Amino acid sequence: QVQLVESGGGAVQAGGSLRLSCAASGRTFSGNPMGWFRQAPGKERAFVACITWSADNTYYADSVKGRFTISRDNARNTVYLQMNNLKPEDTADYYCAVPWGTRCNMAYTNYAYWGQGTQVTVSS
């Protein structure tokens, strides 16, 4: 059974930092990209970042460029999201996910596996 487990969420003040982790178990996603999405109350799930298997390509939503960094450790089957200079509008539940196929994708409907989410709250 495939499991993606996120951790690292919490409450911080604006300008602070958090590092999210997502550990995969049940199988290795060899060749697969991994992505992060977020969903704020009352809003649709939105793309945040994606990283290819070899980490030679990363993609970010415009709203987080320059503040968030996605990385991965394939030996640990884990993907990370370093979030700096957090803003109140970053408040959301954050989910890691693995897409169908071997390409990063910004549409959440193209993702096959999802974690349970971790909550991030940024106060002003």
Side-chain angles (χ1 to χ4, degrees):
Q1 183 179 357
V2 174
Q3 268 197 317
L4 299 174
V5 180
E6 300 98 335
S7 61
V12 296
Q13 290 191 324
S17 298
L18 285 172
R19 187 193 194 206
L20 306 184
S21 299
C22 172
S25 63
R27 58 163 283 187
T28 58
F29 292 100
S30 179
N32 288 104
M34 294 186 76
W36 286 96
F37 284 76
R38 66 187 182 186
Q39 188 165 18
K43 294 190 176 181
E44 279 200 352
R45 194 163 295 192
F47 172 79
V48 174
C50 186
I51 185 168
T52 54
W53 166 254
S54 61
D56 55 350
N57 284 298
T58 56
Y59 305 88
Y60 296 94
D62 288 343
S63 58
V64 306
K65 278 180 184 175
R67 299 188 298 123
F68 291 12
T69 302
I70 189 171
S71 61
R72 68 188 295 165
D73 182 341
N74 290 335
R76 289 182 166 82
N77 232 13
T78 300
V79 65
Y80 305 96
L81 186 68
Q82 177 67 44
M83 306 186 296
N84 297 329
N85 191 22
L86 282 160
K87 303 176 180 180
E89 51 263 43
D90 295 318
T91 295
D93 292 326
Y94 283 71
Y95 300 86
C96 69
V98 179
W100 302 104
T102 59
R103 292 189 177 185
C104 276
N105 198 293
M106 296 176 67
Y108 72 86
T109 53
N110 288 322
Y111 283 71
Y113 301 99
W114 291 89
Q116 84 290 347
T118 186
Q119 190 173 53
V120 172
T121 303
V122 185
S123 59
S124 57

